[in-house]
Amino acid sequence: MRPLLLGALLLGNATLATSAQAEVQPLNRVVAIVDNDVIMQSQLDQRLREVQQTIAKRGAALPPEHVLSQQVLERLIIEDIQLQIGDRSGIRITDEELNQAIGTIAQRNGMSVEQFRAALTRDGLSFEDAREQVRREMIISRVRQRRVAERIQVTEQEVQNFLASDLGKLQLSEEYHLANILIPVPESASSEAIQAADRQASELYQQLQQGADFAQLAIARSASETALEGGDMGWRKAAQLPSPFDAMIGALKAGEVTQPMRTPGGFIILKLLEKRGGGAQVRDEVHVRHILIKPSEIRSEAEAQRLAERLYERIQAGEDFGELAKSFSEDPGSALNGGDLNWIDPNALVPEFREQMANTASGELSKPFKSTYGWHVLQVMGRRATDSSEQFREQQALNILRNRKYDEELQAWLRQIRDESYVEIKL
């Protein structure tokens, strides 16, 4: 979400003007009626000063005051409509949430909350007013999350089209931090000169394989424009690399180098310094089954624990886990399947269950343990690593497309609520 009122706080030097700063106004009047609320002249004046200070800090020229005043009033009207929507929707910001937000703002400015409060005081600003502005922005942010997000629809076909597009491939491809060594070959070089350059590149490759420092060789021998930087080329998208370099780099581990490759400019050796993004997304999964015994009005906590312990002993003695789960487990989602949860991502489980499962070997039975749901006995049936790269890429594409649509939908929604609201400007 774009910051509305927080922006001034995040600039480091606060630009919020408060009632503590403002001169006493001889007359405060209504400048706009917005549905069930009003905007006062003092509010407009205060926001106008804030905007003027922010523009001045950026070194930009100020538009005529009457033009700026109209723009600021329109912004206040839109904000007021959103706050009223939030109030009608029951959106409330707790003190805990507000304190956490203030702490985040202070941290972004490299300060503790107390230092942030002191900085506001030094600038003649009110900490309480700053908290109120943050609260208002949080309400507006949540209103937008609810009302705008539900308007955004991304179809499966749109996701697949994006993944197949050149832009999609570029944005979702891996990024490589590369360095290079170039042994040049003139455009009109003789076969002897080409062979000599080939031998020189092969010699350098052998030195690198034996542990020579890539950066030092680049500085001493490379004709690349990045030679004096140790050949460092910075980050490159996989989709931006010409064939066959894309495939060669993709097969390397960080620190490895390619064999010399002939290019129009000569023979080049690339080193993969590091990589990020793209690639395989491997997810660990566990095949597990369990029996859940819940405390209830007719079964105390101690009785639930004792029953779980008796079932554990019966399984240890040779009784069938699945049959006991069908008879005793109170997990409706798995009881009929003999307690089988199938293959599951550990991150989808509550911490107590996840921890116990991690400490239980494949084929082994856990001792009874308690979670927020009750008492469990679990058995780990197996473990595997699943490549979820395709799902990960689809989720990335979905996020990109949703973010792309957000601004358009937000502006359409803001125009809609403005048109649907009763607004009477008194200026």
Side-chain angles (χ1 to χ4, degrees):
M1 298 297 172
R2 290 181 176 175
L4 298 170
L5 310 174
L6 266 176
L9 292 176
L10 297 180
L11 290 174
N13 290 324
T15 61
L16 294 173
T18 69
S19 56
Q21 284 183 295
E23 297 178 3
V24 176
Q25 298 294 323
L27 178 65
N28 195 12
R29 62 191 182 93
V30 173
V31 293
I33 300 172
V34 183
D35 281 339
N36 299 320
D37 198 9
V38 295
I39 297 174
M40 305 300 293
Q41 182 71 53
S42 59
Q43 292 174 270
L44 177 59
D45 291 343
Q46 177 178 324
R47 182 63 66 85
L48 187 59
R49 284 192 295 271
E50 294 169 14
V51 172
Q52 288 170 334
Q53 289 176 21
T54 300
I55 293 174
K57 281 181 177 293
R58 292 173 179 166
L62 286 169
E65 185 167 329
H66 73 278
V67 174
L68 188 59
S69 179
Q70 290 175 350
Q71 293 177 333
V72 170
L73 178 57
E74 187 61 30
R75 175 63 64 86
L76 285 172
I77 290 169
I78 293 293
E79 289 177 9
D80 196 274
I81 294 171
Q82 293 174 87
L83 289 169
Q84 291 186 58
I85 292 173
D87 185 59
R88 292 194 297 269
S89 302
I91 295 176
R92 302 290 184 269
I93 306 299
T94 66
D95 287 342
E96 181 180 355
E97 291 171 320
L98 189 54
N99 290 338
Q100 185 176 0
I102 293 291
T104 300
I105 295 169
Q107 186 177 17
R108 287 176 182 172
N109 285 272
M111 294 181 275
S112 67
V113 173
E114 289 306 314
Q115 289 171 330
F116 183 59
R117 181 195 291 265
L120 290 172
T121 302
R122 284 195 302 271
D123 289 337
L125 305 177
S126 163
F127 183 72
E128 288 68 29
D129 284 350
R131 280 175 58 88
E132 177 61 17
Q133 294 225 35
V134 172
R135 185 189 68 81
R136 288 163 59 91
E137 182 181 331
M138 292 175 71
I139 291 173
I140 290 174
S141 177
R142 291 190 183 179
V143 167
R144 291 181 174 187
Q145 287 172 6
R146 292 186 184 182
R147 298 299 181 90
V148 179
E150 67 184 15
R151 296 164 61 104
I152 298 174
Q153 300 294 328
V154 179
T155 67
E156 177 63 26
Q157 189 60 52
E158 286 179 296
V159 170
Q160 296 306 321
N161 289 345
F162 180 77
L163 290 172
S165 70
D166 290 339
L167 177 62
K169 291 174 182 177
L170 177 62
Q171 290 194 355
L172 297 179
S173 65
E174 281 187 301
E175 285 187 293
Y176 303 119
H177 187 187
L178 301 174
N180 74 337
I181 293 175
L182 173 66
I183 305 302
V185 174
E187 189 173 331
S188 57
S190 64
S191 59
E192 290 80 7
I194 295 173
Q195 291 175 4
D198 189 5
R199 287 193 298 271
Q200 186 179 353
S202 297
E203 175 193 334
L204 292 175
Y205 176 73
Q206 292 300 322
Q207 292 181 37
L208 291 169
Q209 291 296 94
Q210 294 167 8
D213 185 88
F214 190 98
Q216 289 182 0
L217 285 180
I219 292 170
R221 308 283 293 275
S222 178
S224 168
E225 61 181 10
T226 63
L228 294 180
E229 288 76 44
D232 193 333
M233 301 167 58
W235 288 93
R236 296 286 191 277
K237 284 280 192 180
Q240 294 173 318
L241 298 176
S243 181
F245 288 108
D246 53 352
M248 294 178 66
I249 293 297
L252 294 182
K253 296 178 181 177
E256 293 181 336
V257 299
T258 65
Q259 293 188 19
M261 290 290 297
R262 176 68 192 275
T263 70
F267 290 89
I268 189 168
I269 301 172
L270 292 176
K271 179 177 182 179
L272 177 60
L273 301 175
E274 51 185 329
K275 68 171 67 176
R276 65 188 180 193
Q281 300 292 324
V282 178
R283 181 177 64 190
D284 292 328
E285 293 182 324
V286 181
H287 187 188
V288 65
R289 58 182 178 178
H290 79 131
I291 297 173
L292 171 63
I293 306 298
K294 296 180 179 180
S296 65
E297 294 181 0
I298 61 174
R299 180 191 292 142
S300 69
E301 184 78 36
E303 289 171 334
Q305 179 180 359
R306 284 195 294 271
L307 177 54
E309 290 171 346
R310 285 198 299 272
L311 292 172
Y312 170 77
E313 292 168 357
R314 290 171 65 175
I315 297 169
Q316 289 282 76
E319 290 193 51
D320 185 83
F321 188 108
E323 292 302 317
L324 290 175
K326 291 177 183 178
S327 300
F328 291 95
S329 182
E330 294 173 283
D331 175 12
S334 67
L336 294 179
N337 296 324
D340 197 341
L341 295 174
N342 212 326
W343 292 98
I344 192 167
D345 183 348
N347 293 321
L349 303 170
V350 295
E352 303 90 345
F353 200 103
R354 183 170 62 243
E355 181 180 352
Q356 194 69 35
M357 190 171 65
N359 294 327
T360 303
S362 294
E364 295 296 321
L365 192 70
S366 76
K367 290 184 177 181
F369 65 96
K370 184 183 178 183
S371 79
T372 54
Y373 294 102
W375 285 87
H376 305 259
V377 177
L378 69 79
Q379 184 177 34
V380 174
M381 312 292 287
R383 288 185 166 86
R384 71 182 183 189
T386 301
D387 184 355
S388 59
S389 302
E390 189 59 32
Q391 297 95 311
F392 180 75
R393 281 169 50 79
E394 289 179 355
Q395 186 60 50
Q396 281 186 304
L398 179 62
N399 292 340
I400 290 171
L401 292 172
R402 286 182 64 85
N403 289 337
R404 183 184 293 175
K405 289 185 175 185
Y406 176 79
D407 282 342
E408 179 181 340
E409 291 294 335
L410 174 61
Q411 295 310 313
W413 178 73
L414 291 176
R415 287 195 301 270
Q416 177 186 332
I417 62 173
R418 175 65 169 84
D419 292 341
E420 293 175 351
S421 300
Y422 173 76
V423 176
E424 181 180 349
I425 296 176
K426 295 289 190 177
L427 284 178

